[in-house]
Amino acid sequence: MTDKVPAPGASIVKVAVTAAAAAAIEWYDFFIYGTAAALVFPAQFFPADLPPLVAQIAAFSTFAVGFIVRPLGGAVFGHLGDVFGRKRALSGALLLMGLATTGVGLLPGYAHAGVAAPLALVALRFAQGLAVGGQWGGAALMAIESAPSGRRGFYGSFVQIGVPVGLVLANVVFLLVGKGLTPQAFQAWGWRLPFLLSVVLVLIGGYVRRHLEEPREFETAGAGAVQGPPLARVLRDHLGDVLLAGGAFVANNTCFYMAITYVVAYGTATLGIAKETLLAAVMLASAFMLPVLIACGGVSDKFGRRGIFMIGAVLAGLWSFALFPLIETASPVLITLAIAVEMLFLSLMYGPQAALFAELFPVEVRYSGASLGYQVGSVVGGGFAPIIATALFARFQSTMPISVYLAVMCAVSFLSVLALSRRARARGSRATAG
């Protein structure tokens, strides 16, 4: 099938909506694992005689595997996307995620398979990490490279809303399953249902492959025009931008996964708050995030990406010291407020992020460069955040060290974006002088 250059107007809307839907379902798959790691996996996939804290850390460790492998997924799918096209790489990532997540829903537990159960769980989480490592770059570039140059932030934000949409879907499904089944049935088999629903991703991957065209900018630049492996060129010519992009992402990723994963585990296990209360708060806060993300992406088109990003890092760092005291009130209203304000400040960073990262790299290596920067930040940020938080609380019996940890990550992101701004000005000065 020959790829076509998309027509203007309605085609960018179709691309943006499809990319958002693909991202939403892919993130749904990724997030249901985190929820299950907090609520189900310690008892399902590890020995019954493990202390609860040890089992929880072990479950979060399998969660972290998906983050550790994400840079590899970014490199693999980035190569495919830069050489063979954005939509082929994206459809492949969606297919892999759909199959891996469905596989988790079919796994036997430790009681039936012994040590093979957690090993198989880790292998499927590895596949999830590969897939999500390639998905974001493909979905983001499909939208951004098809958009008018002055609307990249706006259309790029459609991919970013895939995160809260996926999170809302994940929590809605878990809440419905939890309400419809007894606690015993939920623990025995009901938790598998959200994973089995991910077969839908296979269908979306097929739709992307058959019905979407390659982005206009990619086609105009010359599809697959890069000389040599794209990753090698990125590491040779753009390593600084990759590392700073990763640093820019650590605050968003760390704070976000702290709010949606560790808070659920901490609230249920330590504070005795009903899991339905916590999941409902996360769901409402994520729904609130949707229009804010789009607004922030649009504002960045007019006022610039970096300034709004740095404001978000400062505010999120300050809010870290209010987050846990509000959670510890056990008030549903205050818990929802705590997480919603966190999501608001994170949106200031995440809304313009897709366009910001894409604009750091030339078209021919953009998939590799943007994906690698994004995924490096995901490892340092979200992958280890729940484990670090659990260990800090176990050591100090206080959430204050966790808040300090979050504030430090926000400072790293602020300084990284500041450095990106200075590099951009320096490049502009050299171009003018030349």
Side-chain angles (χ1 to χ4, degrees):
M1 180 177 177
T2 302
D3 296 330
K4 301 175 183 178
V5 178
S11 66
I12 177 56
V13 176
K14 180 179 75 172
V15 170
V17 171
T18 303
I25 303 300
E26 179 117 350
W27 284 115
Y28 160 84
D29 283 13
F30 205 68
F31 289 145
I32 58 174
Y33 191 103
T35 303
L39 301 177
V40 177
F41 288 173
Q44 284 289 331
F45 290 100
F46 298 96
D49 56 357
L50 277 182
L53 180 62
V54 175
Q56 188 70 74
I57 291 177
F60 279 148
S61 296
T62 68
F63 178 69
V65 167
F67 288 87
I68 294 170
V69 75
R70 278 168 64 169
L72 177 60
V76 170
F77 285 97
H79 175 87
L80 296 175
D82 284 329
V83 174
F84 300 107
R86 303 345 189 178
K87 75 170 187 177
R88 291 180 178 86
L90 176 59
S91 62
L94 296 175
L95 176 62
L96 178 60
M97 177 64 91
L99 294 176
T101 309
T102 303
V104 173
L106 298 173
L107 277 183
Y110 189 91
H112 295 93
V115 72
L119 290 177
L121 184 66
V122 169
L124 290 173
R125 183 60 174 173
F126 184 94
Q128 276 194 324
L130 280 177
V132 83
Q135 172 272 136
W136 178 82
L141 296 186
M142 287 292 293
I144 291 168
E145 292 181 346
S146 299
S149 61
R151 304 296 304 280
R152 287 176 170 178
F154 175 75
Y155 284 109
S157 70
F158 277 76
V159 176
Q160 305 301 80
I161 69 171
V163 171
V165 170
L167 184 56
V168 169
L169 288 175
N171 283 319
V172 165
V173 171
F174 264 104
L175 284 170
L176 290 176
V177 172
K179 287 288 187 182
L181 299 173
T182 64
Q184 295 76 17
F186 176 82
Q187 287 287 333
W189 58 269
W191 66 269
R192 299 178 181 277
L193 298 178
F195 289 88
L196 297 177
L197 291 174
S198 354
V199 71
V200 172
L201 257 188
V202 177
L203 303 178
I204 294 179
Y207 178 86
V208 169
R209 180 67 182 86
R210 290 191 300 272
H211 296 288
L212 293 190
E213 299 84 9
E214 290 293 347
R216 179 186 302 105
E217 188 176 0
F218 178 71
E219 291 285 343
T220 302
V226 62
Q227 300 298 313
L231 180 62
R233 180 174 166 185
V234 166
L235 296 178
R236 183 189 69 217
D237 298 337
H238 304 281
L239 180 59
D241 289 326
V242 168
L243 295 177
L244 289 173
F249 190 38
V250 295
N252 200 301
N253 217 35
T254 301
C255 294
F256 183 76
Y257 281 100
M258 196 68 65
I260 70 166
T261 300
Y262 179 74
V263 161
V264 174
Y266 172 68
T268 54
T270 303
L271 303 178
I273 301 171
K275 73 175 186 294
E276 290 82 7
T277 299
L278 292 161
L279 293 177
V282 169
M283 181 179 66
L284 291 172
S286 300
F288 168 71
M289 195 178 185
L290 295 175
V292 180
L293 278 172
I294 295 175
C296 291
V299 167
S300 77
D301 286 327
K302 186 172 183 180
F303 297 104
R305 326 277 186 217
R306 296 177 180 86
I308 188 173
F309 202 112
M310 290 190 286
I311 291 171
V314 171
L315 294 176
L318 294 174
W319 189 252
S320 299
F321 296 96
L323 177 66
F324 287 104
L326 289 172
I327 299 294
E328 288 159 2
T329 66
S331 162
V333 173
L334 293 180
I335 290 171
T336 303
L337 175 67
I339 300 175
V341 174
E342 181 83 348
M343 297 301 194
L344 168 64
F345 295 152
L346 297 183
S347 296
L348 295 174
M349 295 184 278
Y350 200 60
Q353 181 177 295
L356 172 64
F357 283 17
E359 290 166 352
L360 293 174
F361 305 96
V363 177
E364 60 269 21
V365 296
R366 184 174 286 160
Y367 202 136
S368 297
S371 294
L372 194 58
Y374 186 99
Q375 305 309 338
V376 165
S378 75
V379 174
V380 179
F384 294 104
I387 298 173
I388 292 172
T390 302
L392 285 173
F393 187 81
R395 171 67 178 82
F396 296 102
Q397 293 299 303
S398 169
T399 57
M400 179 57 70
I402 303 174
S403 296
V404 172
Y405 162 59
L406 295 179
V408 169
M409 294 297 100
C410 290
V412 169
S413 288
F414 178 90
L415 294 173
S416 296
V417 177
L418 183 62
L420 283 172
S421 297
R422 291 177 175 174
R423 286 170 66 90
R425 286 195 296 268
R427 282 194 290 261
S429 298
R430 287 195 297 268
T432 302

PDB file of all heavy atoms in Angstrom, residues 70-86:
ATOM      1  N   ARG A  70      11.969   1.087  28.747  1.00  0.00           N
ATOM      2  CA  ARG A  70      11.375   2.059  27.833  1.00  0.00           C
ATOM      3  C   ARG A  70      12.393   2.757  26.929  1.00  0.00           C
ATOM      4  O   ARG A  70      12.110   2.975  25.743  1.00  0.00           O
ATOM      5  CB  ARG A  70      10.533   3.067  28.614  1.00  0.00           C
ATOM      6  CG  ARG A  70       9.143   2.524  28.924  1.00  0.00           C
ATOM      7  CD  ARG A  70       8.377   3.367  29.928  1.00  0.00           C
ATOM      8  NE  ARG A  70       8.103   4.707  29.440  1.00  0.00           N
ATOM      9  CZ  ARG A  70       7.271   5.556  30.042  1.00  0.00           C
ATOM     10  NH1 ARG A  70       6.641   5.182  31.157  1.00  0.00           N
ATOM     11  NH2 ARG A  70       7.068   6.761  29.555  1.00  0.00           N
ATOM     12  N   PRO A  71      13.601   3.124  27.399  1.00  0.00           N
ATOM     13  CA  PRO A  71      14.574   3.691  26.445  1.00  0.00           C
ATOM     14  C   PRO A  71      14.929   2.735  25.317  1.00  0.00           C
ATOM     15  O   PRO A  71      15.145   3.161  24.171  1.00  0.00           O
ATOM     16  CB  PRO A  71      15.790   3.987  27.331  1.00  0.00           C
ATOM     17  CG  PRO A  71      15.218   4.194  28.692  1.00  0.00           C
ATOM     18  CD  PRO A  71      14.087   3.220  28.789  1.00  0.00           C
ATOM     19  N   LEU A  72      14.995   1.430  25.620  1.00  0.00           N
ATOM     20  CA  LEU A  72      15.248   0.458  24.558  1.00  0.00           C
ATOM     21  C   LEU A  72      14.094   0.466  23.560  1.00  0.00           C
ATOM     22  O   LEU A  72      14.313   0.420  22.335  1.00  0.00           O
ATOM     23  CB  LEU A  72      15.428  -0.939  25.157  1.00  0.00           C
ATOM     24  CG  LEU A  72      15.634  -2.081  24.162  1.00  0.00           C
ATOM     25  CD1 LEU A  72      16.878  -1.844  23.303  1.00  0.00           C
ATOM     26  CD2 LEU A  72      15.737  -3.423  24.898  1.00  0.00           C
ATOM     27  N   GLY A  73      12.860   0.541  24.053  1.00  0.00           N
ATOM     28  CA  GLY A  73      11.715   0.637  23.150  1.00  0.00           C
ATOM     29  C   GLY A  73      11.769   1.900  22.310  1.00  0.00           C
ATOM     30  O   GLY A  73      11.462   1.882  21.118  1.00  0.00           O
ATOM     31  N   GLY A  74      12.193   3.015  22.940  1.00  0.00           N
ATOM     32  CA  GLY A  74      12.334   4.250  22.182  1.00  0.00           C
ATOM     33  C   GLY A  74      13.375   4.137  21.095  1.00  0.00           C
ATOM     34  O   GLY A  74      13.196   4.655  19.988  1.00  0.00           O
ATOM     35  N   ALA A  75      14.494   3.441  21.394  1.00  0.00           N
ATOM     36  CA  ALA A  75      15.549   3.272  20.400  1.00  0.00           C
ATOM     37  C   ALA A  75      15.100   2.370  19.251  1.00  0.00           C
ATOM     38  O   ALA A  75      15.309   2.689  18.073  1.00  0.00           O
ATOM     39  CB  ALA A  75      16.799   2.697  21.069  1.00  0.00           C
ATOM     40  N   VAL A  76      14.459   1.246  19.587  1.00  0.00           N
ATOM     41  CA  VAL A  76      14.027   0.290  18.557  1.00  0.00           C
ATOM     42  C   VAL A  76      12.951   0.895  17.661  1.00  0.00           C
ATOM     43  O   VAL A  76      13.079   0.921  16.420  1.00  0.00           O
ATOM     44  CB  VAL A  76      13.515  -1.007  19.212  1.00  0.00           C
ATOM     45  CG1 VAL A  76      12.845  -1.910  18.169  1.00  0.00           C
ATOM     46  CG2 VAL A  76      14.656  -1.746  19.900  1.00  0.00           C
ATOM     47  N   PHE A  77      11.889   1.400  18.281  1.00  0.00           N
ATOM     48  CA  PHE A  77      10.800   1.955  17.477  1.00  0.00           C
ATOM     49  C   PHE A  77      11.188   3.305  16.873  1.00  0.00           C
ATOM     50  O   PHE A  77      10.670   3.687  15.817  1.00  0.00           O
ATOM     51  CB  PHE A  77       9.531   2.072  18.310  1.00  0.00           C
ATOM     52  CG  PHE A  77       8.857   0.750  18.551  1.00  0.00           C
ATOM     53  CD1 PHE A  77       9.057   0.048  19.729  1.00  0.00           C
ATOM     54  CD2 PHE A  77       8.032   0.199  17.587  1.00  0.00           C
ATOM     55  CE1 PHE A  77       8.447  -1.179  19.948  1.00  0.00           C
ATOM     56  CE2 PHE A  77       7.417  -1.031  17.792  1.00  0.00           C
ATOM     57  CZ  PHE A  77       7.623  -1.724  18.976  1.00  0.00           C
ATOM     58  N   GLY A  78      12.109   4.031  17.541  1.00  0.00           N
ATOM     59  CA  GLY A  78      12.607   5.265  16.946  1.00  0.00           C
ATOM     60  C   GLY A  78      13.328   4.993  15.640  1.00  0.00           C
ATOM     61  O   GLY A  78      13.163   5.716  14.653  1.00  0.00           O
ATOM     62  N   HIS A  79      14.150   3.941  15.610  1.00  0.00           N
ATOM     63  CA  HIS A  79      14.831   3.555  14.375  1.00  0.00           C
ATOM     64  C   HIS A  79      13.813   3.209  13.288  1.00  0.00           C
ATOM     65  O   HIS A  79      13.911   3.686  12.149  1.00  0.00           O
ATOM     66  CB  HIS A  79      15.739   2.353  14.644  1.00  0.00           C
ATOM     67  CG  HIS A  79      16.385   1.801  13.411  1.00  0.00           C
ATOM     68  ND1 HIS A  79      17.574   2.277  12.914  1.00  0.00           N
ATOM     69  CD2 HIS A  79      15.990   0.817  12.548  1.00  0.00           C
ATOM     70  CE1 HIS A  79      17.890   1.620  11.810  1.00  0.00           C
ATOM     71  NE2 HIS A  79      16.941   0.727  11.570  1.00  0.00           N
ATOM     72  N   LEU A  80      12.830   2.394  13.666  1.00  0.00           N
ATOM     73  CA  LEU A  80      11.809   2.001  12.688  1.00  0.00           C
ATOM     74  C   LEU A  80      11.041   3.219  12.184  1.00  0.00           C
ATOM     75  O   LEU A  80      10.751   3.343  10.985  1.00  0.00           O
ATOM     76  CB  LEU A  80      10.844   1.000  13.317  1.00  0.00           C
ATOM     77  CG  LEU A  80      11.437  -0.346  13.741  1.00  0.00           C
ATOM     78  CD1 LEU A  80      10.394  -1.188  14.466  1.00  0.00           C
ATOM     79  CD2 LEU A  80      11.983  -1.100  12.538  1.00  0.00           C
ATOM     80  N   GLY A  81      10.714   4.131  13.098  1.00  0.00           N
ATOM     81  CA  GLY A  81       9.932   5.298  12.710  1.00  0.00           C
ATOM     82  C   GLY A  81      10.696   6.274  11.843  1.00  0.00           C
ATOM     83  O   GLY A  81      10.120   6.898  10.944  1.00  0.00           O
ATOM     84  N   ASP A  82      12.010   6.439  12.109  1.00  0.00           N
ATOM     85  CA  ASP A  82      12.813   7.352  11.292  1.00  0.00           C
ATOM     86  C   ASP A  82      13.157   6.762   9.932  1.00  0.00           C
ATOM     87  O   ASP A  82      13.317   7.491   8.953  1.00  0.00           O
ATOM     88  CB  ASP A  82      14.103   7.718  12.038  1.00  0.00           C
ATOM     89  CG  ASP A  82      13.865   8.726  13.150  1.00  0.00           C
ATOM     90  OD1 ASP A  82      12.959   9.559  13.014  1.00  0.00           O
ATOM     91  OD2 ASP A  82      14.589   8.665  14.171  1.00  0.00           O
ATOM     92  N   VAL A  83      13.273   5.448   9.851  1.00  0.00           N
ATOM     93  CA  VAL A  83      13.675   4.805   8.593  1.00  0.00           C
ATOM     94  C   VAL A  83      12.473   4.380   7.760  1.00  0.00           C
ATOM     95  O   VAL A  83      12.431   4.612   6.541  1.00  0.00           O
ATOM     96  CB  VAL A  83      14.582   3.588   8.880  1.00  0.00           C
ATOM     97  CG1 VAL A  83      14.888   2.831   7.585  1.00  0.00           C
ATOM     98  CG2 VAL A  83      15.884   4.044   9.542  1.00  0.00           C
ATOM     99  N   PHE A  84      11.458   3.780   8.397  1.00  0.00           N
ATOM    100  CA  PHE A  84      10.348   3.192   7.650  1.00  0.00           C
ATOM    101  C   PHE A  84       9.039   3.956   7.775  1.00  0.00           C
ATOM    102  O   PHE A  84       8.083   3.644   7.068  1.00  0.00           O
ATOM    103  CB  PHE A  84      10.126   1.741   8.101  1.00  0.00           C
ATOM    104  CG  PHE A  84      11.317   0.861   7.879  1.00  0.00           C
ATOM    105  CD1 PHE A  84      12.093   0.440   8.949  1.00  0.00           C
ATOM    106  CD2 PHE A  84      11.689   0.479   6.598  1.00  0.00           C
ATOM    107  CE1 PHE A  84      13.197  -0.368   8.749  1.00  0.00           C
ATOM    108  CE2 PHE A  84      12.797  -0.331   6.388  1.00  0.00           C
ATOM    109  CZ  PHE A  84      13.559  -0.751   7.467  1.00  0.00           C
ATOM    110  N   GLY A  85       8.958   4.915   8.653  1.00  0.00           N
ATOM    111  CA  GLY A  85       7.756   5.715   8.756  1.00  0.00           C
ATOM    112  C   GLY A  85       7.124   5.697  10.132  1.00  0.00           C
ATOM    113  O   GLY A  85       7.216   4.710  10.868  1.00  0.00           O
ATOM    114  N   ARG A  86       6.484   6.819  10.463  1.00  0.00           N
ATOM    115  CA  ARG A  86       5.879   6.974  11.788  1.00  0.00           C
ATOM    116  C   ARG A  86       4.747   5.977  12.028  1.00  0.00           C
ATOM    117  O   ARG A  86       4.648   5.365  13.087  1.00  0.00           O
ATOM    118  CB  ARG A  86       5.319   8.378  11.962  1.00  0.00           C
ATOM    119  CG  ARG A  86       6.188   9.598  11.796  1.00  0.00           C
ATOM    120  CD  ARG A  86       7.638   9.503  11.794  1.00  0.00           C
ATOM    121  NE  ARG A  86       8.260  10.835  11.843  1.00  0.00           N
ATOM    122  CZ  ARG A  86       9.560  11.012  11.883  1.00  0.00           C
ATOM    123  NH1 ARG A  86      10.380   9.978  11.853  1.00  0.00           N
ATOM    124  NH2 ARG A  86      10.066  12.243  11.943  1.00  0.00           N
TER     125      ARG A  86
END
